[in-house]
Amino acid sequence: MIREMISGMALTLRKLFERPVTIQYPEQKPDVPPRYRGSIVLTRDPSGEERCVACYLCSAACPVDCITIEATEREDGRRYPAAFRINFLRCIMCGMCAEACPTLAIQMDPNFEMGEVRQQDMIYEKDDLLINGPGKYPDYSFWEEAGVAVTHALGQGRQDQPPADPRSNLP
Ligand code: SF4
Ligand code: SF4
Protein backbone atom coordinates (compact mmCIF):
# COMPACT_ATOMS: atom_id res chain seq x y z
CA MET A 1 0.00 0.00 0.00
CA ILE A 2 2.76 2.45 0.98
CA ARG A 3 4.69 1.48 -2.13
CA GLU A 4 1.74 2.28 -4.43
CA MET A 5 1.22 5.64 -2.70
CA ILE A 6 4.85 6.58 -3.10
CA SER A 7 4.90 5.55 -6.75
CA GLY A 8 1.70 7.57 -7.38
CA MET A 9 3.18 10.65 -5.70
CA ALA A 10 6.42 10.20 -7.65
CA LEU A 11 4.47 10.10 -10.91
CA THR A 12 2.59 13.30 -9.95
CA LEU A 13 5.87 14.98 -9.03
CA ARG A 14 7.49 13.95 -12.30
CA LYS A 15 4.56 15.26 -14.39
CA LEU A 16 4.75 18.62 -12.58
CA PHE A 17 7.97 19.44 -14.40
CA GLU A 18 6.99 18.12 -17.84
CA ARG A 19 5.75 20.35 -20.65
CA PRO A 20 1.92 20.48 -20.59
CA VAL A 21 0.11 18.90 -23.56
CA THR A 22 -3.01 21.04 -23.14
CA ILE A 23 -3.38 24.24 -25.16
CA GLN A 24 -5.41 27.37 -24.46
CA TYR A 25 -8.06 26.88 -27.14
CA PRO A 26 -9.62 28.96 -28.75
CA GLU A 27 -6.89 31.60 -28.27
CA GLN A 28 -4.29 29.02 -29.24
CA LYS A 29 -5.18 26.88 -32.27
CA PRO A 30 -4.09 23.26 -32.49
CA ASP A 31 -1.98 22.12 -35.44
CA VAL A 32 -4.04 19.73 -37.53
CA PRO A 33 -2.55 17.60 -40.33
CA PRO A 34 -3.13 18.85 -43.91
CA ARG A 35 -5.22 15.73 -44.65
CA TYR A 36 -7.46 16.29 -41.62
CA ARG A 37 -11.12 15.71 -42.51
CA GLY A 38 -12.81 18.91 -41.40
CA SER A 39 -15.40 20.97 -43.22
CA ILE A 40 -16.34 20.25 -46.83
CA VAL A 41 -15.79 22.64 -49.73
CA LEU A 42 -16.59 22.65 -53.45
CA THR A 43 -13.56 23.73 -55.48
CA ARG A 44 -12.91 25.28 -58.88
CA ASP A 45 -10.55 24.13 -61.62
CA PRO A 46 -7.49 26.23 -62.67
CA SER A 47 -9.60 28.22 -65.14
CA GLY A 48 -11.94 29.31 -62.35
CA GLU A 49 -14.92 27.17 -63.43
CA GLU A 50 -16.61 25.06 -60.81
CA ARG A 51 -15.41 21.48 -60.96
CA CYS A 52 -18.61 19.80 -59.89
CA VAL A 53 -20.50 18.23 -62.81
CA ALA A 54 -23.48 17.20 -60.66
CA CYS A 55 -22.93 13.48 -61.19
CA TYR A 56 -24.50 12.56 -57.82
CA LEU A 57 -21.68 10.12 -56.94
CA CYS A 58 -20.88 11.87 -53.67
CA SER A 59 -24.54 11.82 -52.74
CA ALA A 60 -24.78 8.10 -53.53
CA ALA A 61 -21.61 7.34 -51.54
CA CYS A 62 -22.65 9.29 -48.47
CA PRO A 63 -23.57 6.75 -45.77
CA VAL A 64 -25.88 9.15 -43.93
CA ASP A 65 -27.54 10.61 -47.02
CA CYS A 66 -26.83 14.22 -46.14
CA ILE A 67 -25.98 15.57 -49.63
CA THR A 68 -28.74 16.92 -51.87
CA ILE A 69 -27.97 18.00 -55.44
CA GLU A 70 -29.98 19.42 -58.29
CA ALA A 71 -28.24 19.06 -61.66
CA THR A 72 -28.51 21.39 -64.62
CA GLU A 73 -26.60 22.06 -67.83
CA ARG A 74 -25.02 25.07 -69.53
CA GLU A 75 -25.49 25.88 -73.20
CA ASP A 76 -22.11 24.32 -74.06
CA GLY A 77 -23.20 21.03 -72.46
CA ARG A 78 -21.24 21.42 -69.26
CA ARG A 79 -23.20 20.14 -66.27
CA TYR A 80 -23.14 21.87 -62.93
CA PRO A 81 -25.22 21.77 -59.78
CA ALA A 82 -27.99 24.36 -59.70
CA ALA A 83 -28.28 23.52 -56.01
CA PHE A 84 -25.91 21.69 -53.70
CA ARG A 85 -26.79 21.23 -50.05
CA ILE A 86 -24.99 19.44 -47.23
CA ASN A 87 -26.70 18.87 -43.92
CA PHE A 88 -23.80 19.03 -41.46
CA LEU A 89 -26.09 17.99 -38.62
CA ARG A 90 -25.92 14.49 -40.07
CA CYS A 91 -22.43 14.50 -41.65
CA ILE A 92 -19.99 12.20 -39.86
CA MET A 93 -16.90 13.59 -41.66
CA CYS A 94 -16.11 10.17 -43.10
CA GLY A 95 -14.66 11.52 -46.38
CA MET A 96 -16.54 9.05 -48.60
CA CYS A 97 -17.93 11.90 -50.72
CA ALA A 98 -14.43 13.23 -51.45
CA GLU A 99 -13.20 9.72 -52.26
CA ALA A 100 -16.07 9.15 -54.68
CA CYS A 101 -15.81 12.45 -56.56
CA PRO A 102 -14.37 11.89 -60.07
CA THR A 103 -13.60 15.58 -60.64
CA LEU A 104 -11.92 16.33 -57.28
CA ALA A 105 -14.58 18.99 -56.80
CA ILE A 106 -15.62 18.08 -53.31
CA GLN A 107 -12.77 18.21 -50.82
CA MET A 108 -12.33 18.28 -47.07
CA ASP A 109 -10.28 21.03 -45.50
CA PRO A 110 -8.68 21.16 -42.04
CA ASN A 111 -11.25 23.62 -40.65
CA PHE A 112 -12.96 21.97 -37.68
CA GLU A 113 -14.58 25.07 -36.17
CA MET A 114 -18.10 24.54 -37.43
CA GLY A 115 -20.10 24.81 -34.21
CA GLU A 116 -23.31 26.83 -34.48
CA VAL A 117 -26.01 27.82 -32.00
CA ARG A 118 -28.94 27.39 -34.37
CA GLN A 119 -29.49 24.06 -36.11
CA GLN A 120 -30.53 25.77 -39.35
CA ASP A 121 -27.04 27.25 -39.66
CA MET A 122 -25.59 23.76 -40.07
CA ILE A 123 -27.34 23.37 -43.42
CA TYR A 124 -24.82 24.58 -46.01
CA GLU A 125 -26.03 25.64 -49.45
CA LYS A 126 -23.88 25.88 -52.59
CA ASP A 127 -22.96 29.50 -51.86
CA ASP A 128 -21.56 28.42 -48.48
CA LEU A 129 -19.63 25.49 -49.97
CA LEU A 130 -18.17 26.84 -53.22
CA ILE A 131 -14.73 28.41 -52.75
CA ASN A 132 -12.72 30.50 -55.21
CA GLY A 133 -9.72 28.20 -55.46
CA PRO A 134 -8.70 24.69 -56.54
CA GLY A 135 -8.11 23.33 -53.03
CA LYS A 136 -5.53 20.56 -52.72
CA TYR A 137 -5.20 19.97 -56.48
CA PRO A 138 -4.12 23.26 -58.11
CA ASP A 139 -3.47 21.84 -61.63
CA TYR A 140 -6.30 19.40 -62.08
CA SER A 141 -8.99 20.16 -64.64
CA PHE A 142 -11.46 17.34 -65.17
CA TRP A 143 -13.20 19.23 -67.94
CA GLU A 144 -10.06 19.47 -70.12
CA GLU A 145 -9.49 15.73 -69.78
CA ALA A 146 -13.01 14.37 -70.09
CA GLY A 147 -15.42 17.17 -70.96
CA VAL A 148 -17.69 16.96 -74.00
CA ALA A 149 -15.46 19.35 -75.98
CA VAL A 150 -12.22 17.33 -75.62
CA THR A 151 -10.43 17.12 -78.96
CA HIS A 152 -7.03 15.64 -78.15
CA ALA A 153 -6.19 11.99 -78.68
CA LEU A 154 -6.02 9.53 -75.81
CA GLY A 155 -2.77 10.02 -73.91
CA GLN A 156 -2.13 13.48 -75.42
CA GLY A 157 -3.91 15.53 -72.75
CA ARG A 158 -2.22 18.12 -70.60
CA GLN A 159 -2.45 15.88 -67.55
CA ASP A 160 -1.97 12.51 -69.28
CA GLN A 161 1.04 10.37 -68.46
CA PRO A 162 2.98 8.73 -71.32
CA PRO A 163 1.96 5.08 -71.85
CA ALA A 164 3.77 2.62 -69.57
CA ASP A 165 6.36 0.39 -71.24
CA PRO A 166 5.90 -3.14 -69.81
CA ARG A 167 9.37 -4.09 -71.09
CA SER A 168 10.90 -1.61 -68.66
CA ASN A 169 10.11 -4.09 -65.87
CA LEU A 170 12.11 -6.90 -67.48
CA PRO A 171 15.45 -7.77 -65.88
S1 SF4 B 1 -18.07 13.32 -45.12
FE1 SF4 B 1 -19.24 11.39 -45.15
S2 SF4 B 1 -21.11 11.85 -44.06
FE2 SF4 B 1 -20.19 13.82 -44.58
S3 SF4 B 1 -21.13 14.42 -46.53
FE3 SF4 B 1 -19.25 13.30 -47.02
S4 SF4 B 1 -19.89 11.16 -47.30
FE4 SF4 B 1 -21.55 12.22 -46.21
S1 SF4 C 1 -19.04 16.95 -55.98
FE1 SF4 C 1 -18.07 15.44 -57.32
S2 SF4 C 1 -19.15 13.50 -56.91
FE2 SF4 C 1 -20.44 15.18 -56.10
S3 SF4 C 1 -21.85 15.64 -57.77
FE3 SF4 C 1 -20.09 17.05 -57.96
S4 SF4 C 1 -18.71 16.01 -59.39
FE4 SF4 C 1 -20.15 14.45 -58.68
Side-chain angles (χ1 to χ4, degrees):
M1 181 75 170
I2 301 281
R3 220 173 82 191
E4 282 80 11
M5 278 176 63
I6 291 173
S7 92
M9 294 298 286
L11 181 66
T12 307
L13 205 61
R14 204 167 63 239
K15 292 287 171 191
L16 268 181
F17 299 102
E18 281 183 11
R19 219 169 140 219
V21 291
T22 48
I23 59 164
Q24 298 303 316
Y25 182 81
E27 289 78 20
Q28 195 184 346
K29 307 284 185 198
D31 288 329
V32 294
R35 287 171 63 85
Y36 183 85
R37 295 202 297 260
S39 65
I40 296 174
V41 289
L42 287 175
T43 59
R44 296 175 184 273
D45 65 21
S47 63
E49 301 280 6
E50 53 186 294
R51 281 187 173 130
C52 179
V53 292
C55 67
Y56 294 94
L57 274 174
C58 54
S59 173
C62 179
V64 295
D65 201 15
C66 68
I67 303 179
T68 310
I69 304 165
E70 187 190 326
T72 189
E73 207 171 286
R74 292 191 333 201
E75 278 182 8
D76 62 1
R78 183 163 176 156
R79 282 168 59 99
Y80 69 97
F84 199 112
R85 177 182 299 155
I86 298 182
N87 180 351
F88 280 106
L89 291 168
R90 293 165 73 171
C91 176
I92 53 172
M93 307 295 175
C94 65
M96 298 286 279
C97 50
E99 291 290 329
C101 181
T103 67
L104 305 180
I106 192 164
Q107 297 178 23
M108 303 191 81
D109 71 17
N111 172 33
F112 58 88
E113 295 176 307
M114 298 178 67
E116 296 287 352
V117 176
R118 300 183 326 142
Q119 288 198 345
Q120 304 91 293
D121 295 338
M122 294 298 282
I123 316 287
Y124 282 42
E125 301 293 344
K126 184 177 163 184
D127 285 348
D128 306 315
L129 297 165
L130 188 61
I131 61 170
N132 273 331
K136 298 172 187 167
Y137 309 98
D139 302 323
Y140 184 70
S141 171
F142 173 82
W143 186 250
E144 285 185 20
E145 295 302 312
V148 292
V150 169
T151 50
H152 60 72
L154 195 62
Q156 305 288 307
R158 196 163 57 88
Q159 290 150 178
D160 287 352
Q161 300 286 326
D165 177 12
R167 289 174 185 276
S168 64
N169 285 335
L170 295 175

